[in-house]
Amino acid sequence: MSLISEQVAGTAREPEDELSAPGGTPATEVALPWIEDTDKVAPKDARALSKMFFDRLQTLEEGTHEYQYARNTLIEMNLTLVQFVARRFRNRGSGDMEEIIQVGTIGLIKAIDRFDLTREVEFATFAVPYILGEIKRFFRDTTWAVHVPRRLQELRVELAKAKEELSTRLDHDPTVKELADHLSITEEEVIDGIVAANGYTAGSLEAPSDGGDSAATPTRTLADVMGESDPAMEAVENMHTLAPLLDDLDDRERRILELRFGQEMTQSQIGAELGVSQMHISRLLTGTLNKLRTGMLA
């Protein structure tokens, strides 16, 4: 499954007859125009239509046919933003343009899900940093030979700069303590960063793993003895990071998260449970998720 389909799984556009009343008029209180081919929508018209669709999207319940139609149409109408940003990376030499556009589209989807018309900012201005961030993260992560936590990837860069600066100043290779003092971090963190740097390059899987050199004792390669990666490791890592952040939330924020992701209730159902509107739940949920996201990235 492509990166894009992973992000929008379950939100494919429904058939037109499920969104429209007889005669082609959308069967909703506030009608949304049916856009058959978003490629034919002029940029100026796309901006005006996007505002209309965003305004309507805020009043729709997740999971409904019209919600899916409005969200997917916004994605399709604004794909030119992804193509515009992706062109800046066409000569980077890692990943083909189609893959870069897929990654950038993930950023576009995140921007659509988080955009609020009350911000009084153009959607393009809001969306480009999301698109750019996803593409940059893609290039940063795919240059590593093995998975390394992002904080250690960034520490490796800081250590490299510090080593170069201190080597010139001290006229010798800096010690772990000198690096730690220079960066105002612990010696253990410096060691973690140095170990993580080993993940930036990889040896050949065909390299010998033992000293066997005869027909009777054939040489085993690294591929012969290498274990498989555990896909659950990243989930464990994320859970350890998330746990203390959840403890910092207030009771209402934790309750809303439990109802939304634990009991898989819709925003409308949560609103009815707590005695508030679906729009209010949407704002509270967005704020809570942004708070957790900021904490995890930090």
Side-chain angles (χ1 to χ4, degrees):
M1 180 181 290
S2 70
L3 291 171
I4 297 175
S5 60
E6 290 174 1
Q7 289 292 315
V8 296
T11 60
R13 178 179 293 180
E14 298 293 331
E16 182 176 353
D17 58 357
E18 295 192 25
L19 288 167
S20 303
T25 302
T28 61
E29 293 181 3
V30 180
L32 286 176
W34 177 263
I35 301 176
E36 187 67 34
D37 188 353
T38 55
D39 291 338
K40 296 180 180 179
V41 178
K44 182 178 179 180
D45 294 333
R47 286 193 295 271
L49 285 168
S50 290
K51 289 181 179 180
M52 178 192 302
F53 275 73
F54 272 120
D55 185 60
R56 183 70 180 119
L57 193 66
Q58 294 181 6
T59 66
L60 296 170
E61 182 178 354
E62 292 182 35
T64 62
H65 296 319
E66 191 177 8
Y67 181 94
Q68 295 167 359
Y69 166 66
R71 184 172 181 264
N72 289 343
T73 303
L74 281 167
I75 294 170
E76 294 170 7
M77 281 196 300
N78 289 282
L79 280 176
T80 52
L81 290 175
V82 178
Q83 296 163 358
F84 170 77
V85 177
R87 281 197 292 269
R88 297 171 52 179
F89 297 86
R90 59 180 177 270
N91 296 320
R92 287 290 294 269
S94 177
D96 58 29
M97 184 56 61
E98 181 180 353
E99 189 172 18
I100 295 170
I101 289 176
Q102 284 190 343
V103 173
T105 303
I106 294 174
L108 173 65
I109 293 169
K110 290 181 178 180
I112 288 172
D113 289 342
R114 299 169 190 173
F115 184 63
D116 186 348
L117 285 173
T118 60
R119 294 174 182 269
E120 297 183 353
V121 62
E122 288 289 335
F123 175 67
T125 304
F126 179 82
V128 165
Y130 280 91
I131 299 169
L132 188 59
E134 286 296 324
I135 295 177
K136 284 185 175 181
R137 188 176 298 114
F138 164 74
F139 277 104
R140 181 178 61 196
D141 291 350
T142 53
T143 56
W144 288 77
V146 297
H147 172 72
V148 175
R150 188 162 294 120
R151 64 179 181 84
L152 293 181
Q153 294 182 26
E154 295 168 350
L155 179 57
R156 171 192 169 275
V157 176
E158 294 173 4
L159 283 172
K161 293 179 180 177
K163 283 182 179 179
E164 183 177 354
E165 181 178 339
L166 290 176
S167 295
T168 302
R169 184 195 307 171
L170 304 175
D171 199 27
H172 67 76
D173 288 338
T175 65
V176 169
K177 186 178 186 306
E178 288 169 338
L179 288 168
D181 292 341
H182 180 75
L183 294 174
S184 299
I185 59 178
T186 66
E187 293 183 28
E188 288 77 10
E189 288 175 305
V190 172
I191 294 172
D192 284 344
I194 293 173
V195 172
N198 293 328
Y200 197 70
T201 57
S204 171
L205 292 177
E206 300 303 318
S209 64
D210 54 32
D213 55 2
S214 66
T217 311
T219 300
R220 291 189 303 172
T221 66
L222 287 175
D224 295 327
V225 297
M226 181 175 289
E228 297 181 356
S229 61
D230 187 347
M233 285 303 297
E234 186 170 358
V236 173
E237 192 176 282
N238 289 337
M239 288 301 297
H240 276 290
T241 304
L242 186 61
L245 299 175
L246 291 172
D247 290 338
D248 291 337
L249 299 178
D250 60 39
D251 291 340
R252 182 174 67 173
E253 290 172 328
R254 283 196 293 271
R255 177 63 173 159
I256 291 174
L257 289 180
E258 165 61 22
L259 294 174
R260 183 70 180 92
F261 299 105
Q263 301 184 28
E264 298 184 350
M265 294 172 62
T266 67
Q267 292 180 6
S268 296
Q269 291 171 331
I270 297 172
E273 175 80 13
L274 302 182
V276 297
S277 69
Q278 182 261 333
M279 287 293 294
H280 189 53
I281 293 296
S282 178
R283 287 193 293 269
L284 290 174
L285 185 59
T286 298
T288 302
L289 292 177
N290 284 339
K291 185 190 301 185
L292 292 174
R293 186 177 296 109
T294 300
M296 291 189 71
L297 291 176

